[in-house]
Amino acid sequence: MLFVFLREISLPFFMNFFSDNGSHDAVLLSQLGQNGMPMQIAFKRWEIIDGSLFIFSAPYFFERFKNEFKFSGWLFGSLIAIYGIGDCLMTALFNYGSDYFANWHSLLHALGSGIGSGALLAINLCLLILAWQKDQNLWAKLLGICLLGGILGGFLLETDWITNKTAISVLQCLFLDILYLPSFLIALQDSKNLFIKN
């Protein structure tokens, strides 16, 4: 779990996303997988690996949350798997065009990305509810900030309010990193506890 989150966070840098030479003016991460892009094959392979790792992480989420409430293990495990399929595997398999409705594969790409991001938002919402129930106020505040930041970032990405290409690129990366943060911190704490225990 930690490994795949670190891979996703570092992806823009390994793909030279913020470099004109590396990205050829790609504004969104998805555009790195377009035909003719210098990092197309590397990007697609990266996303296939990450999608598979998220799916393989589903049992960890199941075990981690199975005792929280009825079906909670299945819920968390399913959501992280849905994210891996939607936002990673479908991103790799279906090229993004000039917009969501440019062609059928752009539409499938956008659909997968939307479902995946929705699954990640749902994980954070469930974590926030659990934190409230357990009176974990500091953790609840962090989760609330991440959830609101994710919703705001996603909203801004879908509007025309921001026109600067670099700002859009940075916003998309921040949007994803904010959504990753709570699950990353949980996996980090569990790994730390496991290390101390052993």
Side-chain angles (χ1 to χ4, degrees), residues 11-181:
L11 181 147
F13 304 100
F14 278 97
M15 297 291 137
N16 295 323
F17 183 53
F18 298 109
S19 165
D20 289 339
N21 293 328
S23 69
H24 285 199
D25 295 325
V27 179
L28 299 173
L29 285 167
S30 296
Q31 292 175 319
L32 294 174
Q34 290 178 334
N35 292 330
M37 294 298 281
M39 303 298 287
Q40 181 189 20
I41 295 174
F43 175 78
K44 287 180 175 292
R45 287 177 177 171
W46 190 289
E47 286 298 280
I48 288 172
I49 292 171
D50 283 4
S52 301
L53 289 173
F54 275 116
I55 294 169
F56 292 149
S57 297
Y60 158 70
F61 268 66
F62 174 83
E63 288 295 327
R64 178 64 171 75
F65 295 103
K66 67 180 182 181
N67 296 321
E68 297 295 344
F69 55 87
K70 192 175 182 180
F71 303 122
S72 58
W74 290 106
L75 176 63
F76 278 95
S78 298
L79 287 173
I80 201 66
I82 289 170
Y83 177 76
I85 294 168
D87 210 51
C88 296
L89 294 183
M90 289 183 71
T91 291
L93 296 175
F94 302 107
N95 287 350
Y96 175 76
S98 55
D99 61 63
Y100 296 151
F101 303 102
N103 44 53
W104 65 270
H105 46 86
S106 289
L107 183 60
L108 287 175
H109 177 105
L111 184 63
S113 183
I115 291 172
S117 296
L120 210 53
L121 281 166
I123 288 174
N124 288 343
L125 178 59
C126 290
L127 290 173
L128 177 58
I129 293 170
L130 288 176
W132 273 338
Q133 291 178 341
K134 295 181 178 182
D135 293 324
Q136 297 172 332
N137 295 329
L138 185 61
W139 181 230
K141 288 178 182 178
L142 175 62
L143 288 163
I145 291 170
C146 290
L147 193 60
L148 289 175
I151 292 171
L152 178 61
F155 174 76
L156 290 174
L157 284 171
E158 296 303 320
T159 67
D160 295 326
W161 295 355
I162 301 176
T163 56
N164 182 274
K165 291 182 178 181
T166 302
I168 294 171
S169 300
V170 171
L171 178 62
Q172 186 195 22
C173 292
L174 285 175
F175 162 71
L176 291 171
D177 292 347
I178 286 171
L179 291 181
Y180 293 147
L181 182 61

